[in-house]
Amino acid sequence: MLKREGCFLIIMLAAILQLKSQPVQSKGLKDYYKNYFPVGVAVSAADLKDPGEVALILSQFNSLTPENAMKMGPIHPEENRYNWKDADSIVAFAQAHGLKVRGHNLCWHEQAPKWMFRDSLGNPVSKEVLLKRLKDHITTVVNRYKGKIYAWDVVNEAIDDDSTKFLRNSLWYQICGDDFIAKAFEYAHEADPGAILFYNDYNTERPEKRGRVYRLLKQLLDAGVPINGVGIQAHWSVYEPGQKELVETIKKFASLGLKVQVTELDISIYPWEKNQRMLRPGESDAYAADLEKKQIEKFAEVFKTFRQFREVITGVTFWNISDRNTWLDNYPVHGRKNYPLLFDQKFQPKKVYWKVVDF
Ligand code: GLA
């Protein structure tokens, strides 16, 4: 009898040890971070038809951002035609599963339809016409998802890449001057006064860019523009940002009374490059052990900072679901694979995942 009980105990112990060494996915990122902030992910409508992606989304995340479906070009391809299909399906999926949705985005210089800026003869439209079109666009899109989208990236990337300049010389700017920014926020607020409205940009941790983003945010707030938050895109790499730069950025933006969200997080294993090029012969694109180690350290560091600023940070969203598909594959280097997320190409949590949830 005793012998049998002993055997049973040993088997149970072995089972427990086994469980400890092979973590079981009973909890997801959203559960580990439930007392901190929602954890989101950027998706396409196609992702939501793939059982593997769906299982991962539902087990890990509690917020969705449409990766492309709500951008002006895809959703409003012609003046009198909206293409609601993909955006509707993402919002319906979120509603069916109780997920939040961040709308992305209402005004950007990229993925904007050509018709927006031209008249029927192909000439540039006037400021009045462009602002009227912007208003129609924002009112229609925000209205359609009123009450279903809790936050909007209203204006994306309006600051110039050149650190000696302020606003980007986009068609929006060329035709409207800086007015289009304030107007975009006003139109969005009018359409859904309950939505939280964000300005969203990249490289915000770099001191020169941070200063210019701060200047824009302050101008908007001083002018009484209805802006509630700032999106730190967080397309980072294993080499940047440094912890100090990130902390200073969050503090500086928060000092304006704005909420901060991390809106497009991924950590590339390569250094940032601005220009596109081909992968060079002999150049490796393997997920090498030393890069994996650097990535683990960087993810651990940034999440520690996010947790420290839980009063200010009201959302953290990953840009894509797993290393199977990321916009950083082939960009900016054609033919190069990247591994910037927490799940591998088979949807399994990477080592870095366990670091991010270990606190
Ligand atoms: C920017 C945009 C995103 C996305 C990424 C690249 O950060 O805000 O919508 O297009 O570039 O995928």
Side-chain angles (χ1 to χ4, degrees), residues 297-351:
E297 285 161 8
K298 186 54 76 184
F299 260 118
E301 180 183 282
V302 301
F303 267 90
K304 189 168 175 213
T305 304
F306 299 162
R307 291 193 299 272
Q308 280 165 356
F309 285 94
R310 68 205 273 184
E311 302 301 325
V312 174
I313 295 187
T314 60
V316 173
T317 291
F318 286 85
W319 207 249
N320 300 124
I321 304 167
S322 76
D323 289 349
R324 181 177 295 194
N325 281 311
T326 142
W327 73 287
L328 293 169
D329 289 337
N330 300 307
Y331 185 86
V333 178
H334 300 278
R336 188 179 73 180
K337 174 78 192 139
N338 208 332
Y339 313 85
L341 298 160
L342 299 186
F343 300 93
D344 68 16
Q345 294 178 72
K346 294 185 177 140
F347 300 149
Q348 297 306 306
K350 291 159 55 176
K351 271 194 218 151

Short mmCIF file of all heavy atoms in Angstrom, two decimals, residues 297-351:
data_model
loop_
_atom_site.label_atom_id
_atom_site.label_comp_id
_atom_site.label_asym_id
_atom_site.label_seq_id
_atom_site.Cartn_x
_atom_site.Cartn_y
_atom_site.Cartn_z
N GLU A 297 16.79 41.11 -23.93
CA GLU A 297 17.13 42.21 -23.00
C GLU A 297 16.33 43.47 -23.31
O GLU A 297 15.83 44.14 -22.41
CB GLU A 297 18.64 42.52 -23.08
CG GLU A 297 19.48 41.47 -22.37
CD GLU A 297 20.94 41.47 -22.80
OE1 GLU A 297 21.37 42.39 -23.54
OE2 GLU A 297 21.66 40.53 -22.40
N LYS A 298 16.22 43.79 -24.60
CA LYS A 298 15.52 45.04 -24.96
C LYS A 298 14.02 44.94 -24.64
O LYS A 298 13.43 45.86 -24.07
CB LYS A 298 15.76 45.33 -26.46
CG LYS A 298 15.23 46.65 -26.96
CD LYS A 298 15.72 47.86 -26.18
CE LYS A 298 17.13 48.26 -26.48
NZ LYS A 298 17.61 49.38 -25.63
N PHE A 299 13.41 43.81 -24.98
CA PHE A 299 11.97 43.64 -24.66
C PHE A 299 11.76 43.70 -23.14
O PHE A 299 10.80 44.32 -22.66
CB PHE A 299 11.44 42.30 -25.20
CG PHE A 299 10.68 42.43 -26.50
CD1 PHE A 299 11.12 41.80 -27.65
CD2 PHE A 299 9.49 43.15 -26.56
CE1 PHE A 299 10.41 41.90 -28.85
CE2 PHE A 299 8.77 43.26 -27.75
CZ PHE A 299 9.24 42.62 -28.90
N ALA A 300 12.64 43.05 -22.39
CA ALA A 300 12.49 43.03 -20.93
C ALA A 300 12.58 44.47 -20.39
O ALA A 300 11.79 44.89 -19.55
CB ALA A 300 13.55 42.15 -20.30
N GLU A 301 13.54 45.20 -20.92
CA GLU A 301 13.78 46.57 -20.46
C GLU A 301 12.58 47.48 -20.78
O GLU A 301 12.10 48.23 -19.93
CB GLU A 301 15.04 47.09 -21.15
CG GLU A 301 15.45 48.49 -20.82
CD GLU A 301 16.68 48.89 -21.65
OE1 GLU A 301 17.79 48.46 -21.30
OE2 GLU A 301 16.50 49.60 -22.67
N VAL A 302 12.08 47.39 -22.01
CA VAL A 302 10.99 48.32 -22.36
C VAL A 302 9.71 47.97 -21.61
O VAL A 302 8.98 48.86 -21.16
CB VAL A 302 10.75 48.47 -23.89
CG1 VAL A 302 12.00 48.96 -24.59
CG2 VAL A 302 10.20 47.22 -24.54
N PHE A 303 9.44 46.69 -21.42
CA PHE A 303 8.23 46.33 -20.68
C PHE A 303 8.33 46.73 -19.21
O PHE A 303 7.34 47.09 -18.57
CB PHE A 303 7.86 44.86 -20.86
CG PHE A 303 6.89 44.67 -22.00
CD1 PHE A 303 7.35 44.45 -23.29
CD2 PHE A 303 5.52 44.79 -21.80
CE1 PHE A 303 6.47 44.34 -24.35
CE2 PHE A 303 4.62 44.67 -22.85
CZ PHE A 303 5.10 44.45 -24.13
N LYS A 304 9.54 46.67 -18.67
CA LYS A 304 9.73 47.13 -17.28
C LYS A 304 9.37 48.62 -17.19
O LYS A 304 8.66 49.06 -16.29
CB LYS A 304 11.19 46.90 -16.88
CG LYS A 304 11.44 47.12 -15.44
CD LYS A 304 12.81 46.60 -15.03
CE LYS A 304 13.04 46.97 -13.58
NZ LYS A 304 14.45 47.24 -13.29
N THR A 305 9.83 49.37 -18.19
CA THR A 305 9.51 50.80 -18.22
C THR A 305 7.99 51.01 -18.38
O THR A 305 7.40 51.83 -17.69
CB THR A 305 10.28 51.50 -19.36
OG1 THR A 305 11.67 51.25 -19.17
CG2 THR A 305 10.02 52.99 -19.38
N PHE A 306 7.38 50.25 -19.28
CA PHE A 306 5.92 50.40 -19.46
C PHE A 306 5.21 50.16 -18.12
O PHE A 306 4.29 50.89 -17.76
CB PHE A 306 5.37 49.40 -20.48
CG PHE A 306 5.92 49.50 -21.87
CD1 PHE A 306 5.77 48.44 -22.77
CD2 PHE A 306 6.58 50.64 -22.31
CE1 PHE A 306 6.28 48.51 -24.07
CE2 PHE A 306 7.09 50.71 -23.61
CZ PHE A 306 6.93 49.64 -24.47
N ARG A 307 5.65 49.13 -17.41
CA ARG A 307 4.98 48.82 -16.13
C ARG A 307 5.17 49.95 -15.12
O ARG A 307 4.25 50.29 -14.37
CB ARG A 307 5.49 47.49 -15.57
CG ARG A 307 5.07 46.27 -16.38
CD ARG A 307 5.33 44.97 -15.63
NE ARG A 307 6.72 44.74 -15.30
CZ ARG A 307 7.62 44.14 -16.09
NH1 ARG A 307 7.25 43.68 -17.28
NH2 ARG A 307 8.86 43.96 -15.69
N GLN A 308 6.37 50.53 -15.14
CA GLN A 308 6.63 51.64 -14.20
C GLN A 308 5.71 52.82 -14.48
O GLN A 308 5.39 53.59 -13.59
CB GLN A 308 8.08 52.10 -14.31
CG GLN A 308 9.03 51.21 -13.55
CD GLN A 308 10.48 51.45 -13.95
OE1 GLN A 308 10.78 52.22 -14.86
NE2 GLN A 308 11.39 50.75 -13.29
N PHE A 309 5.32 52.98 -15.74
CA PHE A 309 4.48 54.13 -16.11
C PHE A 309 3.02 53.73 -16.33
O PHE A 309 2.34 54.28 -17.19
CB PHE A 309 5.06 54.82 -17.35
CG PHE A 309 6.28 55.65 -17.04
CD1 PHE A 309 7.54 55.11 -17.17
CD2 PHE A 309 6.16 56.95 -16.58
CE1 PHE A 309 8.67 55.85 -16.86
CE2 PHE A 309 7.28 57.71 -16.27
CZ PHE A 309 8.55 57.15 -16.41
N ARG A 310 2.56 52.78 -15.56
CA ARG A 310 1.20 52.26 -15.78
C ARG A 310 0.12 53.33 -15.63
O ARG A 310 -0.97 53.20 -16.18
CB ARG A 310 0.91 51.09 -14.84
CG ARG A 310 0.83 51.52 -13.39
CD ARG A 310 1.15 50.38 -12.48
NE ARG A 310 -0.03 49.59 -12.18
CZ ARG A 310 -0.01 48.56 -11.33
NH1 ARG A 310 1.11 48.20 -10.75
NH2 ARG A 310 -1.11 47.90 -11.08
N GLU A 311 0.40 54.40 -14.88
CA GLU A 311 -0.60 55.47 -14.72
C GLU A 311 -0.75 56.29 -16.00
O GLU A 311 -1.76 56.96 -16.21
CB GLU A 311 -0.19 56.44 -13.60
CG GLU A 311 0.02 55.83 -12.24
CD GLU A 311 -1.23 55.13 -11.73
OE1 GLU A 311 -2.33 55.64 -12.04
OE2 GLU A 311 -1.10 54.09 -11.06
N VAL A 312 0.27 56.27 -16.81
CA VAL A 312 0.31 57.12 -18.00
C VAL A 312 0.03 56.29 -19.26
O VAL A 312 -0.65 56.73 -20.18
CB VAL A 312 1.73 57.74 -18.13
CG1 VAL A 312 1.87 58.50 -19.43
CG2 VAL A 312 2.02 58.64 -16.94
N ILE A 313 0.58 55.07 -19.28
CA ILE A 313 0.46 54.23 -20.48
C ILE A 313 -0.86 53.47 -20.44
O ILE A 313 -1.10 52.66 -19.54
CB ILE A 313 1.66 53.28 -20.57
CG1 ILE A 313 2.92 54.12 -20.79
CG2 ILE A 313 1.47 52.26 -21.69
CD1 ILE A 313 4.17 53.35 -21.08
N THR A 314 -1.72 53.76 -21.41
CA THR A 314 -3.06 53.17 -21.38
C THR A 314 -3.27 52.13 -22.47
O THR A 314 -4.39 51.70 -22.70
CB THR A 314 -4.14 54.28 -21.49
OG1 THR A 314 -3.93 54.97 -22.74
CG2 THR A 314 -4.04 55.28 -20.35
N GLY A 315 -2.20 51.70 -23.10
CA GLY A 315 -2.31 50.63 -24.09
C GLY A 315 -0.96 50.33 -24.70
O GLY A 315 -0.15 51.25 -24.88
N VAL A 316 -0.74 49.04 -24.97
CA VAL A 316 0.48 48.64 -25.69
C VAL A 316 0.04 47.69 -26.80
O VAL A 316 -0.60 46.67 -26.53
CB VAL A 316 1.48 47.92 -24.75
CG1 VAL A 316 2.65 47.35 -25.54
CG2 VAL A 316 1.98 48.88 -23.66
N THR A 317 0.33 48.07 -28.04
CA THR A 317 -0.09 47.26 -29.18
C THR A 317 1.10 46.79 -30.00
O THR A 317 1.98 47.59 -30.32
CB THR A 317 -1.06 48.08 -30.08
OG1 THR A 317 -2.29 48.25 -29.38
CG2 THR A 317 -1.35 47.38 -31.40
N PHE A 318 1.12 45.50 -30.32
CA PHE A 318 2.17 44.94 -31.18
C PHE A 318 1.77 45.11 -32.64
O PHE A 318 0.59 44.99 -33.00
CB PHE A 318 2.34 43.45 -30.90
CG PHE A 318 3.04 43.17 -29.60
CD1 PHE A 318 2.33 43.14 -28.40
CD2 PHE A 318 4.41 42.95 -29.57
CE1 PHE A 318 2.97 42.89 -27.20
CE2 PHE A 318 5.06 42.71 -28.37
CZ PHE A 318 4.34 42.67 -27.18
N TRP A 319 2.79 45.35 -33.49
CA TRP A 319 2.50 45.53 -34.92
C TRP A 319 2.74 44.19 -35.62
O TRP A 319 3.85 43.88 -36.01
CB TRP A 319 3.34 46.67 -35.51
CG TRP A 319 2.64 47.28 -36.69
CD1 TRP A 319 3.01 47.20 -38.00
CD2 TRP A 319 1.42 48.04 -36.67
NE1 TRP A 319 2.09 47.87 -38.79
CE2 TRP A 319 1.11 48.40 -38.00
CE3 TRP A 319 0.54 48.46 -35.65
CZ2 TRP A 319 -0.02 49.15 -38.34
CZ3 TRP A 319 -0.60 49.20 -35.99
CH2 TRP A 319 -0.85 49.53 -37.32
N ASN A 320 1.69 43.44 -35.74
CA ASN A 320 1.61 42.07 -36.29
C ASN A 320 1.63 41.03 -35.17
O ASN A 320 1.97 41.34 -34.03
CB ASN A 320 2.67 41.74 -37.33
CG ASN A 320 2.61 42.66 -38.56
OD1 ASN A 320 3.58 43.29 -38.91
ND2 ASN A 320 1.47 42.77 -39.19
N ILE A 321 1.21 39.82 -35.55
CA ILE A 321 0.92 38.80 -34.55
C ILE A 321 2.15 37.96 -34.19
O ILE A 321 2.46 37.74 -33.02
CB ILE A 321 -0.21 37.87 -35.07
CG1 ILE A 321 -1.46 38.70 -35.43
CG2 ILE A 321 -0.55 36.81 -34.04
CD1 ILE A 321 -2.50 37.94 -36.23
N SER A 322 2.82 37.45 -35.22
CA SER A 322 3.96 36.55 -34.97
C SER A 322 5.02 36.76 -36.05
O SER A 322 4.79 37.43 -37.05
CB SER A 322 3.49 35.10 -35.02
OG SER A 322 3.29 34.72 -36.37
N ASP A 323 6.17 36.12 -35.83
CA ASP A 323 7.26 36.23 -36.80
C ASP A 323 6.93 35.55 -38.15
O ASP A 323 7.70 35.65 -39.09
CB ASP A 323 8.54 35.60 -36.23
CG ASP A 323 9.15 36.44 -35.11
OD1 ASP A 323 8.71 37.60 -34.94
OD2 ASP A 323 10.06 35.94 -34.42
N ARG A 324 5.78 34.88 -38.23
CA ARG A 324 5.41 34.29 -39.53
C ARG A 324 5.23 35.38 -40.58
O ARG A 324 5.66 35.25 -41.71
CB ARG A 324 4.12 33.48 -39.40
CG ARG A 324 3.74 32.84 -40.71
CD ARG A 324 2.51 31.97 -40.60
NE ARG A 324 2.72 30.82 -39.74
CZ ARG A 324 1.92 29.78 -39.69
NH1 ARG A 324 0.85 29.73 -40.46
NH2 ARG A 324 2.16 28.78 -38.87
N ASN A 325 4.57 36.46 -40.18
CA ASN A 325 4.33 37.59 -41.08
C ASN A 325 4.56 38.90 -40.36
O ASN A 325 3.83 39.21 -39.44
CB ASN A 325 2.86 37.63 -41.53
CG ASN A 325 2.58 36.63 -42.61
OD1 ASN A 325 3.30 36.56 -43.59
ND2 ASN A 325 1.55 35.84 -42.40
N THR A 326 5.55 39.63 -40.79
CA THR A 326 5.73 40.98 -40.23
C THR A 326 6.06 41.92 -41.38
O THR A 326 6.71 41.53 -42.35
CB THR A 326 6.84 41.02 -39.14
OG1 THR A 326 7.57 42.26 -39.27
CG2 THR A 326 7.81 39.86 -39.26
N TRP A 327 5.63 43.16 -41.24
CA TRP A 327 5.89 44.15 -42.31
C TRP A 327 7.40 44.35 -42.47
O TRP A 327 7.86 44.84 -43.49
CB TRP A 327 5.21 45.48 -41.99
CG TRP A 327 5.84 46.27 -40.90
CD1 TRP A 327 5.80 45.98 -39.57
CD2 TRP A 327 6.63 47.45 -41.03
NE1 TRP A 327 6.51 46.92 -38.86
CE2 TRP A 327 7.04 47.84 -39.74
CE3 TRP A 327 7.03 48.24 -42.11
CZ2 TRP A 327 7.83 48.96 -39.48
CZ3 TRP A 327 7.82 49.37 -41.86
CH2 TRP A 327 8.21 49.71 -40.57
N LEU A 328 8.19 43.93 -41.46
CA LEU A 328 9.64 44.10 -41.52
C LEU A 328 10.34 43.02 -42.33
O LEU A 328 11.53 43.11 -42.57
CB LEU A 328 10.21 44.15 -40.09
CG LEU A 328 9.80 45.39 -39.29
CD1 LEU A 328 10.18 45.23 -37.82
CD2 LEU A 328 10.44 46.66 -39.87
N ASP A 329 9.60 41.96 -42.75
CA ASP A 329 10.17 41.01 -43.71
C ASP A 329 10.31 41.79 -45.02
O ASP A 329 9.34 42.42 -45.46
CB ASP A 329 9.20 39.84 -43.96
CG ASP A 329 9.11 38.90 -42.76
OD1 ASP A 329 10.05 38.87 -41.94
OD2 ASP A 329 8.09 38.19 -42.66
N ASN A 330 11.47 41.78 -45.58
CA ASN A 330 11.70 42.47 -46.86
C ASN A 330 11.68 44.00 -46.78
O ASN A 330 11.68 44.66 -47.80
CB ASN A 330 10.67 42.05 -47.93
CG ASN A 330 10.74 40.58 -48.18
OD1 ASN A 330 11.83 40.05 -48.46
ND2 ASN A 330 9.62 39.89 -48.07
N TYR A 331 11.59 44.54 -45.58
CA TYR A 331 11.57 46.01 -45.46
C TYR A 331 12.47 46.46 -44.32
O TYR A 331 12.31 45.96 -43.20
CB TYR A 331 10.14 46.52 -45.23
CG TYR A 331 10.10 48.02 -45.22
CD1 TYR A 331 9.99 48.75 -46.41
CD2 TYR A 331 10.22 48.73 -44.02
CE1 TYR A 331 9.99 50.14 -46.39
CE2 TYR A 331 10.23 50.12 -44.01
CZ TYR A 331 10.11 50.82 -45.19
OH TYR A 331 10.13 52.18 -45.17
N PRO A 332 13.37 47.37 -44.52
CA PRO A 332 13.68 48.04 -45.78
C PRO A 332 14.67 47.26 -46.64
O PRO A 332 15.07 47.75 -47.69
CB PRO A 332 14.32 49.36 -45.31
CG PRO A 332 14.99 49.01 -44.02
CD PRO A 332 14.17 47.92 -43.39
N VAL A 333 14.99 46.02 -46.21
CA VAL A 333 15.95 45.23 -46.99
C VAL A 333 15.22 44.08 -47.68
O VAL A 333 14.71 43.17 -47.02
CB VAL A 333 17.09 44.71 -46.08
CG1 VAL A 333 18.06 43.84 -46.87
CG2 VAL A 333 17.84 45.89 -45.43
N HIS A 334 15.15 44.13 -49.01
CA HIS A 334 14.46 43.10 -49.77
C HIS A 334 15.18 41.77 -49.63
O HIS A 334 16.40 41.72 -49.70
CB HIS A 334 14.39 43.49 -51.25
CG HIS A 334 13.65 44.78 -51.45
ND1 HIS A 334 12.28 44.85 -51.49
CD2 HIS A 334 14.11 46.04 -51.57
CE1 HIS A 334 11.93 46.12 -51.65
NE2 HIS A 334 13.02 46.87 -51.69
N GLY A 335 14.40 40.72 -49.40
CA GLY A 335 15.00 39.38 -49.31
C GLY A 335 15.47 39.06 -47.89
O GLY A 335 16.08 38.01 -47.68
N ARG A 336 15.18 39.93 -46.94
CA ARG A 336 15.64 39.68 -45.57
C ARG A 336 14.47 39.38 -44.64
O ARG A 336 13.49 40.10 -44.58
CB ARG A 336 16.39 40.91 -45.04
CG ARG A 336 17.07 40.66 -43.70
CD ARG A 336 17.82 41.89 -43.24
NE ARG A 336 16.91 42.94 -42.78
CZ ARG A 336 17.31 44.12 -42.32
NH1 ARG A 336 18.59 44.43 -42.28
NH2 ARG A 336 16.43 45.02 -41.94
N LYS A 337 14.61 38.28 -43.88
CA LYS A 337 13.59 37.91 -42.88
C LYS A 337 13.89 38.67 -41.58
O LYS A 337 15.04 38.94 -41.27
CB LYS A 337 13.67 36.39 -42.68
CG LYS A 337 12.79 35.82 -41.58
CD LYS A 337 11.35 35.69 -42.03
CE LYS A 337 10.45 35.40 -40.82
NZ LYS A 337 9.19 36.16 -40.88
N ASN A 338 12.83 38.99 -40.82
CA ASN A 338 13.03 39.60 -39.51
C ASN A 338 12.24 38.80 -38.47
O ASN A 338 11.38 37.98 -38.84
CB ASN A 338 12.58 41.07 -39.55
CG ASN A 338 13.33 41.94 -38.54
OD1 ASN A 338 13.77 41.46 -37.50
ND2 ASN A 338 13.46 43.22 -38.84
N TYR A 339 12.52 39.03 -37.20
CA TYR A 339 11.93 38.24 -36.11
C TYR A 339 11.59 39.18 -34.96
O TYR A 339 12.12 39.04 -33.86
CB TYR A 339 12.93 37.17 -35.64
CG TYR A 339 13.57 36.40 -36.78
CD1 TYR A 339 14.70 36.91 -37.43
CD2 TYR A 339 13.04 35.18 -37.20
CE1 TYR A 339 15.27 36.22 -38.49
CE2 TYR A 339 13.62 34.49 -38.26
CZ TYR A 339 14.74 35.02 -38.89
OH TYR A 339 15.31 34.34 -39.94
N PRO A 340 10.72 40.17 -35.20
CA PRO A 340 10.59 41.26 -34.22
C PRO A 340 9.52 41.06 -33.14
O PRO A 340 9.29 41.97 -32.34
CB PRO A 340 10.19 42.43 -35.12
CG PRO A 340 9.39 41.80 -36.21
CD PRO A 340 9.93 40.42 -36.42
N LEU A 341 8.86 39.89 -33.11
CA LEU A 341 7.69 39.76 -32.22
C LEU A 341 7.91 38.70 -31.15
O LEU A 341 8.99 38.12 -31.06
CB LEU A 341 6.45 39.47 -33.09
CG LEU A 341 6.15 40.62 -34.08
CD1 LEU A 341 5.29 40.17 -35.23
CD2 LEU A 341 5.51 41.80 -33.34
N LEU A 342 6.87 38.42 -30.37
CA LEU A 342 7.03 37.49 -29.23
C LEU A 342 6.70 36.05 -29.58
O LEU A 342 6.97 35.15 -28.79
CB LEU A 342 6.13 37.93 -28.06
CG LEU A 342 6.39 39.32 -27.47
CD1 LEU A 342 5.51 39.54 -26.24
CD2 LEU A 342 7.86 39.50 -27.09
N PHE A 343 6.10 35.83 -30.77
CA PHE A 343 5.72 34.47 -31.17
C PHE A 343 6.49 34.09 -32.44
O PHE A 343 6.70 34.93 -33.31
CB PHE A 343 4.21 34.38 -31.41
CG PHE A 343 3.45 34.73 -30.16
CD1 PHE A 343 3.02 36.04 -29.95
CD2 PHE A 343 3.22 33.79 -29.17
CE1 PHE A 343 2.37 36.39 -28.77
CE2 PHE A 343 2.57 34.14 -27.99
CZ PHE A 343 2.14 35.43 -27.80
N ASP A 344 6.87 32.82 -32.53
CA ASP A 344 7.70 32.40 -33.66
C ASP A 344 6.84 32.09 -34.89
O ASP A 344 5.62 32.28 -34.88
CB ASP A 344 8.63 31.24 -33.26
CG ASP A 344 7.85 29.94 -32.98
OD1 ASP A 344 6.66 29.83 -33.37
OD2 ASP A 344 8.45 29.05 -32.36
N GLN A 345 7.48 31.55 -35.91
CA GLN A 345 6.78 31.33 -37.17
C GLN A 345 5.76 30.19 -37.07
O GLN A 345 4.93 30.00 -37.94
CB GLN A 345 7.78 31.05 -38.28
CG GLN A 345 8.64 32.28 -38.54
CD GLN A 345 9.68 32.04 -39.61
OE1 GLN A 345 9.36 31.92 -40.79
NE2 GLN A 345 10.93 31.93 -39.20
N LYS A 346 5.85 29.41 -35.97
CA LYS A 346 4.84 28.35 -35.75
C LYS A 346 3.86 28.78 -34.68
O LYS A 346 3.18 27.95 -34.08
CB LYS A 346 5.56 27.07 -35.32
CG LYS A 346 6.43 26.50 -36.42
CD LYS A 346 7.01 25.18 -35.96
CE LYS A 346 7.82 24.56 -37.08
NZ LYS A 346 9.03 23.94 -36.59
N PHE A 347 3.80 30.07 -34.39
CA PHE A 347 2.88 30.65 -33.40
C PHE A 347 3.21 30.28 -31.96
O PHE A 347 2.37 30.44 -31.07
CB PHE A 347 1.41 30.27 -33.69
CG PHE A 347 0.89 30.72 -35.03
CD1 PHE A 347 -0.08 29.98 -35.69
CD2 PHE A 347 1.36 31.88 -35.62
CE1 PHE A 347 -0.57 30.38 -36.92
CE2 PHE A 347 0.87 32.29 -36.85
CZ PHE A 347 -0.09 31.54 -37.50
N GLN A 348 4.40 29.73 -31.73
CA GLN A 348 4.76 29.37 -30.35
C GLN A 348 5.44 30.56 -29.66
O GLN A 348 6.16 31.32 -30.32
CB GLN A 348 5.73 28.18 -30.35
CG GLN A 348 5.14 26.91 -30.94
CD GLN A 348 3.84 26.52 -30.26
OE1 GLN A 348 3.76 26.40 -29.05
NE2 GLN A 348 2.78 26.38 -31.06
N PRO A 349 5.21 30.70 -28.36
CA PRO A 349 5.90 31.79 -27.65
C PRO A 349 7.42 31.59 -27.71
O PRO A 349 7.90 30.48 -27.50
CB PRO A 349 5.40 31.67 -26.21
CG PRO A 349 4.65 30.39 -26.12
CD PRO A 349 4.32 29.92 -27.49
N LYS A 350 8.14 32.66 -28.01
CA LYS A 350 9.60 32.59 -28.04
C LYS A 350 10.13 32.75 -26.61
O LYS A 350 9.39 33.13 -25.71
CB LYS A 350 10.13 33.73 -28.93
CG LYS A 350 9.79 33.52 -30.41
CD LYS A 350 9.83 34.81 -31.23
CE LYS A 350 11.11 35.60 -31.18
NZ LYS A 350 11.07 36.77 -32.09
N LYS A 351 11.42 32.54 -26.44
CA LYS A 351 12.02 32.73 -25.10
C LYS A 351 11.72 34.13 -24.58
O LYS A 351 11.46 34.35 -23.41
CB LYS A 351 13.54 32.56 -25.19
CG LYS A 351 14.00 31.15 -24.99
CD LYS A 351 15.51 31.16 -24.76
CE LYS A 351 16.13 29.96 -25.45
NZ LYS A 351 17.51 30.19 -25.89
#
